[in-house]
């Protein structure tokens, strides 16, 4: 049930298209709420829980963007690997709850909010003013075509990224291992 | 334009990505621990990926390109998280803290 491109009239709520739109709205709300929890929570373990919720919403967004493969990989890699790794680091490093206002001063919250909202407003205004032209698709972007592109057009990048991952894993082991004996 | 057909609109995804990016910037500026900053940077990467996927779906002629780029972003993000967390562990072992206010050895 990939969302089709050619909906012009408003669908009723209890048709297939209307329910798809409703699910999209719910998933967008899940993404935004998860993001708010992730960036505003005082305790880190709550922030990581919010990040997991946010990434599940992002996976649903990817599904609505015609890419079930990337949606599944988002859940597998981000939720299943990265978030769990960060949760382990929180447990290992056990950061005590941060003091409320350090040398950064009480202004860091409002100033950060102002600059972040300026960035957001700028991006939204830029998206509003720009007219994007769309081009006819030359293929459908299925998993099979992604695999073919991976091993033909992008084969060099594909190999390089595996080397990068290998070096990253070795480097992480070396860094985390250093000074352990003392 | 009904609110139920928002998912057929490129701008919806761009606004969502901008919102996520702003949350990431806010978290990066206000979090006081290294792990909190890492979490915020993951939000920023997710916003970038959503932009790639949205343009891939609505404007790009070849719909595999954006998906492949998003997969590469995921691989880089995994590598970045592994390195960053090992640095956090090493810092914690040396300083007994991951608060950015305590890591001032390089301050002149």
């Amino acid at each position: 049930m990939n969302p089709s491109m050619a909906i012009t009239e408003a669908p009723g709520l209890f048709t297939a298209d209307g329910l798809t739109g409703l699910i999209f709205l719910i998933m967008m709300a899940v993404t935004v709420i998860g993001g708010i929890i992730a960036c505003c929570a005082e305790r880190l373990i709550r922030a990581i829980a919010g990040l997991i919720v946010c990434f599940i919403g992002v996976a649903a967004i990817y599904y609505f963007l015609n890419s079930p493969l990337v949606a599944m990989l988002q859940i597998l890699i981000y939720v299943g690997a990265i978030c769990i790794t960060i949760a382990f680091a929180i447990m290992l490093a056990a950061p005590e709850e941060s003091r409320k206002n350090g040398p950064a001063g009480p202004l860091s919250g409002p100033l950060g909010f102002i600059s972040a909202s300026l960035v957001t407003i700028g991006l939204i205004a830029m998206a509003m003013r720009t007219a994007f032209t769309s081009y006819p698709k030359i293929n459908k972007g299925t998993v099979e075509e992604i695999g073919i592109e991976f091993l033909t057009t992008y084969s060099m990048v594909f190999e390089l990224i595996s080397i990068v991952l290998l070096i990253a894993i070795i480097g992480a082991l070396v860094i985390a291992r250093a000074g352990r004996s003392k | 334009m009904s609110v139920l057909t928002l998912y057929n609109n490129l701008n919806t995804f761009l606004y969502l990505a901008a919102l996520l990016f702003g949350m990431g910037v806010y978290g990066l500026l206000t979090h006081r621990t290294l792990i909190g900053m890492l979490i915020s940077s993951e939000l920023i990467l997710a916003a970038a990926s959503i932009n790639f996927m949205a343009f891939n779906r609505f404007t790009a002629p070849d719909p595999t390109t954006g998906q492949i780029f998003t997969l590469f972003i995921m691989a880089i993000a995994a590598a970045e998280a592994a390195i960053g967390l090992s640095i956090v562990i090493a810092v914690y072992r040396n300083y007994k803290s991951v608060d950015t206010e305590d890591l001032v050895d390089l301050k002149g």
Side-chain angles (χ1 to χ4, degrees):
Chain A
M1 50 150 279
N2 279 335
S4 63
M5 205 92 166
I7 302 176
T8 48
E9 77 280 6
L13 179 57
F14 291 107
T15 59
D17 288 331
L19 284 179
T20 314
L22 185 67
I23 293 172
F24 176 72
L25 290 181
I26 293 173
M27 278 310 173
M28 220 162 64
V30 164
T31 310
V32 172
I33 291 172
I36 289 175
I37 297 174
C39 73
C40 298
E42 278 293 321
R43 291 166 175 267
L44 281 177
I45 202 76
R46 287 183 193 161
I48 196 68
L51 193 69
I52 289 176
V53 172
C54 175
F55 279 160
I56 290 174
V58 170
I61 300 288
Y62 288 161
Y63 192 84
F64 274 93
L65 289 169
N66 275 354
S67 181
L69 172 75
V70 181
M72 287 303 128
L73 283 176
Q74 169 86 10
I75 290 185
L76 264 181
I77 296 178
Y78 272 109
V79 180
I82 294 182
C83 287
I84 301 300
T85 317
I86 297 178
F88 268 116
I90 292 173
M91 288 189 267
L92 280 178
E96 57 272 18
E97 303 312 323
S98 51
R99 310 179 293 271
K100 282 286 186 261
N101 287 314
L107 273 183
S108 74
L111 284 182
F113 184 77
I114 288 172
S115 38
S117 40
L118 279 183
V119 168
T120 310
I121 290 170
L123 284 174
I124 288 179
M126 204 159 65
M128 251 183 219
R129 285 156 180 254
T130 317
F132 297 104
T133 50
S134 119
Y135 295 96
K137 304 281 183 202
I138 58 173
N139 58 35
K140 288 192 166 165
T142 56
V143 181
E144 186 186 357
E145 280 153 353
I146 293 174
I148 291 173
E149 288 281 304
F150 250 133
L151 293 179
T152 54
T153 314
Y154 300 99
S155 56
M156 185 69 189
V157 192
F158 187 68
E159 298 299 332
L160 279 180
I161 211 129
S162 56
I163 296 177
V164 165
L165 274 177
L166 177 70
I167 293 175
I169 292 170
I170 295 174
L173 284 176
V174 169
I175 293 174
R177 179 79 182 78
R180 197 172 171 181
S181 49
K182 57 176 183 181
Chain B
M1 189 77 203
S2 161
V3 74
L4 291 180
T5 57
L6 275 181
Y7 65 90
N8 265 316
N9 192 353
L10 171 63
N11 276 2
T12 313
F13 296 96
L14 296 186
Y15 300 160
L16 179 70
L19 211 58
L20 275 186
F21 188 87
M23 288 173 196
V25 170
Y26 174 71
L28 207 57
L29 289 175
T30 54
H31 264 131
R32 307 179 51 84
T33 57
L34 293 176
I35 298 179
M37 296 167 81
L38 200 68
I39 290 174
S40 306
S41 74
E42 297 292 339
L43 277 180
I44 293 179
L45 284 174
S49 302
I50 289 181
N51 260 357
F52 269 109
M53 292 293 289
F55 283 113
N56 174 56
R57 152 103 157 85
F58 288 102
T59 66
D62 186 356
T64 57
T65 315
Q67 300 186 42
I68 289 175
F69 212 108
T70 307
L71 294 177
F72 285 147
I73 291 178
M74 281 182 193
I76 294 295
E80 172 243 343
I83 297 276
L85 290 174
S86 68
I87 291 176
V88 167
I89 301 287
V91 163
Y92 180 73
R93 192 176 295 135
N94 285 326
Y95 290 87
K96 297 291 168 236
S97 159
V98 290
D99 199 305
T100 45
E101 302 293 340
D102 297 333
L103 311 176
V104 290
D105 275 8
L106 285 180
K107 208 172 177 180

